[in-house]
Amino acid sequence: MRKSKMILLSLLASLSLSAAAQHNPASPLGKWKTLDDKTGKPMTITEIYEAKNGTLAAKIVENLGLPATCEECSGQYKGKPFVGIVTLWNLKPQNDGSWGDGNGYKPSEDRSFKAKSVKLIDGGKKLEVKGCVAFICRTATWVRVE
């Protein structure tokens, strides 16, 4: 009986730590509202999570302003729902506290890019996502979902 209580307590503690990390303003883990670059309107809720290899990744978990399926997408996402599309992957910690040197995909434009930097701003309430194609870079701002 005592051993099963210890296992249960350990499991609960690890779940609590995991949940706390996802709401930590110093961590990019958690859910973010993405905004259209041109109109500023909400497009998706995207969740940043730790991948199995220890890097960070992000995927769309809720569609706020896109069509139901990605007809403009090519490859594996053609005609598939936006929800579930992986938009960032292989983000590694950088010396300045940001994450970067990974890859990204913007399904609304069917464009792959180099994820140069993912950096918390405004006390962890916003996230700057800088992506580059060749030498042309753009920065998008995501807003933390409480």
Side-chain angles (χ1 to χ4, degrees):
M1 182 76 142
R2 181 174 250 174
K3 186 176 181 180
S4 63
K5 282 185 180 179
M6 290 296 285
I7 292 171
L8 180 61
L9 286 174
S10 296
L11 178 63
L12 290 174
S14 68
L15 289 173
S16 297
L17 289 174
S18 174
Q22 289 184 0
H23 298 322
N24 180 352
S27 168
L29 296 177
K31 293 183 180 178
W32 298 89
K33 185 183 303 179
T34 66
L35 308 172
D36 183 275
D37 295 343
K38 296 172 184 84
T39 66
K41 291 183 180 179
M43 293 177 31
T44 69
I45 301 294
T46 297
E47 184 173 11
I48 296 180
Y49 58 95
E50 187 173 335
K52 290 179 184 176
N53 65 2
T55 64
L56 294 188
K59 68 179 173 184
I60 298 170
V61 295
E62 189 176 338
N63 184 345
L64 301 176
L66 298 170
T69 59
C70 192
E71 299 306 322
E72 301 301 317
C73 290
S74 59
Q76 68 182 17
Y77 297 125
K78 175 100 177 128
K80 303 281 190 221
F82 280 93
V83 173
I85 292 178
V86 175
T87 57
L88 296 171
W89 62 95
N90 286 331
L91 295 170
K92 299 162 198 69
Q94 305 298 297
N95 291 334
D96 64 358
S98 68
W99 292 77
D101 194 27
N103 303 92
Y105 177 65
K106 186 171 183 179
S108 61
E109 295 180 7
D110 191 33
R111 177 171 294 145
S112 295
F113 58 91
K114 181 74 173 167
K116 188 169 179 106
S117 173
V118 173
K119 181 168 87 173
L120 290 163
I121 59 170
D122 196 17
K125 295 177 185 173
K126 294 182 180 177
L127 193 68
E128 280 186 347
V129 180
K130 183 175 185 178
C132 302
V133 176
F135 59 90
I136 300 171
C137 298
R138 290 182 13 196
T139 301
T141 302
W142 296 3
V143 179
R144 189 180 292 275
V145 175
E146 296 295 328

